[in-house]
Amino acid sequence: MSKALSGSLSPHIGNLSCLREINLINNTIQGEIPREFGRLLRLEALLLSNNSLVGKIPANLSYCSGLTVLTLGCNKLEGIIPFEFVALYKLKRLALHRNNLTGGIPPFLGNLTSLKTVSLAGNSFGGNIPDSLGQLKELEALGISGNNLSGIIPPSIYNLSFLAIFS
C-alpha cells in the first residue's frame, strides 16, 4: 500500500512465518527481494509492484506454494522467470510487467492451470509464444506486448473461452 516508504526490504521479514499477505505497492523500495521471503510458507499474496527493486526474482519464492497473487511489475528486475515457479500451482495472478526480464516466456506457465491473469508486457522476452499457454482454461487476461516475441500466435490461444484481454 502506498505510504511513501523507501529503503530496502529486510531479510528479517523471513522470520514472520505467519504472514499471509505483503502489500508494499507504489513506494520507492530499492534493492533486491530478499531470498528469505522463501521462508514465508503461509504467504498467499506478495504485492511489490511500482517500486525500484533490482536483481533477479528469487527462485525460492517457489517455496511459498500457497501463493495465489504475485505482482512484481514496474520494477527493475532482471533475468528469467525461475523454472522453480512451476511449483506455484495455486497462482491465479502473475504480474511481472515493465521490468528488464529476458529469456523466453517459459512453457511451464501452461502447467499453472489456476492462472486467471498473466501480465508480462514491457520486458525483453524473446522467442515464440508458448503453445502451452493454451492449457490455461481459466485465463481472462494475457498481456505480452512490448517484448521481442516472434512467430505466430499459437492456435491453442484461440480456445481460451474466458480470455477477455489479450495484448
Side-chain angles (χ1 to χ4, degrees):
M1 196 162 308
S2 180
K3 296 289 182 188
L5 297 173
S6 61
S8 60
L9 296 168
S10 170
H12 297 295
I13 201 164
N15 296 332
L16 303 174
S17 60
C18 289
L19 277 180
R20 299 208 188 259
E21 179 176 321
I22 297 173
N23 185 346
L24 295 171
I25 62 172
N26 298 325
N27 287 288
T28 53
I29 298 170
Q30 303 169 10
E32 297 187 359
I33 300 169
R35 291 179 36 81
E36 289 78 4
F37 274 47
R39 296 198 323 233
L40 302 174
L41 303 182
R42 295 183 183 172
L43 198 63
E44 297 172 4
L46 179 58
L47 301 101
L48 298 175
S49 293
N50 297 319
N51 281 288
S52 297
L53 297 168
V54 298
K56 296 183 177 184
I57 301 170
N60 69 348
L61 285 177
S62 63
Y63 298 154
C64 306
S65 60
L67 271 179
T68 59
V69 177
L70 178 60
T71 65
L72 304 174
C74 299
N75 280 291
K76 299 172 185 173
L77 299 169
E78 58 191 26
I80 63 170
I81 299 174
F83 175 76
E84 291 83 355
F85 280 18
V86 72
L88 298 176
Y89 62 93
K90 293 183 180 178
L91 205 58
K92 293 183 179 185
R93 182 172 167 209
L94 177 64
L96 303 175
H97 56 279
R98 293 184 55 204
N99 277 290
N100 300 314
L101 299 175
T102 55
I105 296 174
F108 73 77
L109 289 182
N111 294 333
L112 304 179
T113 55
S114 295
L115 279 169
K116 292 182 181 243
T117 303
V118 175
S119 179
L120 304 175
N123 281 289
S124 295
F125 292 120
N128 296 326
I129 301 168
D131 185 58
S132 60
L133 295 183
Q135 299 174 79
L136 302 176
K137 300 301 182 193
E138 304 294 319
L139 197 64
E140 298 171 356
L142 177 60
I144 54 175
S145 64
N147 282 292
N148 298 316
L149 300 170
S150 58
I152 65 165
I153 297 172
S156 63
I157 299 291
Y158 301 117
N159 293 324
L160 299 176
S161 58
F162 292 111
L163 193 62
I165 300 170
F166 180 43
S167 75

